[in-house]
Amino acid sequence: MTEIDIFKALSNETRLNILKWLKEPEKNFPQQQAHLPKEVSIKGGVCVGDIHDKVNLSQSTVSHYLSIMQKAGLLEAVRYGQWTYYRRNEDTIKKIAKFLDEDI
């Protein structure tokens, strides 16, 4: 992951919105873990289907966007059964904020 990869991932308004929405998943995705049994919790994770519903783009486009963001290090994916949940990678976000503050 390089800064260039991160900036490329953030250069799309929908991808930027997804990252913003995942900052407060409880607020932006009320049913965020509806597919999980009560004893399983993926902290901050939101199912691809829930993201797809909010974005209102094709499933393949949303999956592609999430993949770009994951490869850039902005998102982490957790798989449970047939469901994939995405959450922000706060370490990368902190590093890019530090880069902006100190290097630019």
Side-chain angles (χ1 to χ4, degrees):
M1 171 248 349
T2 68
E3 289 85 7
I4 297 297
D5 296 326
I6 292 170
F7 289 121
K8 283 181 182 178
L10 295 176
S11 68
N12 174 282
E13 184 177 7
T14 300
R15 292 191 296 259
L16 188 59
N17 283 335
I18 291 169
L19 196 62
K20 288 177 185 178
W21 295 331
L22 289 174
K23 185 175 184 178
E24 298 180 288
E26 301 83 9
K27 174 183 167 187
N28 295 298
F29 301 95
Q31 299 297 321
Q32 66 179 347
Q33 297 183 9
H35 307 293
L36 294 175
K38 292 188 189 293
E39 66 273 8
V40 177
S41 174
I42 299 174
K43 186 167 174 63
V46 177
C47 181
V48 174
D50 294 335
I51 296 169
H52 168 258
D53 291 344
K54 188 166 182 85
V55 171
N56 199 27
L57 294 172
S58 73
Q59 181 76 31
S60 62
T61 299
V62 173
S63 293
H64 180 67
Y65 284 179
L66 294 170
S67 175
I68 288 170
M69 295 171 72
Q70 184 182 10
K71 287 177 185 171
L74 293 166
L75 297 180
E76 300 172 323
V78 178
R79 188 134 177 102
Y80 184 82
Q82 67 185 35
W83 309 105
T84 302
Y85 291 81
Y86 285 89
R87 63 182 170 212
R88 289 165 42 117
N89 182 340
E90 296 299 336
D91 288 339
T92 298
I93 293 168
K94 288 176 187 171
K95 287 177 187 173
I96 199 66
K98 182 178 177 185
F99 170 77
L100 288 169
D101 185 50
E102 294 178 0
D103 295 347
I104 293 184

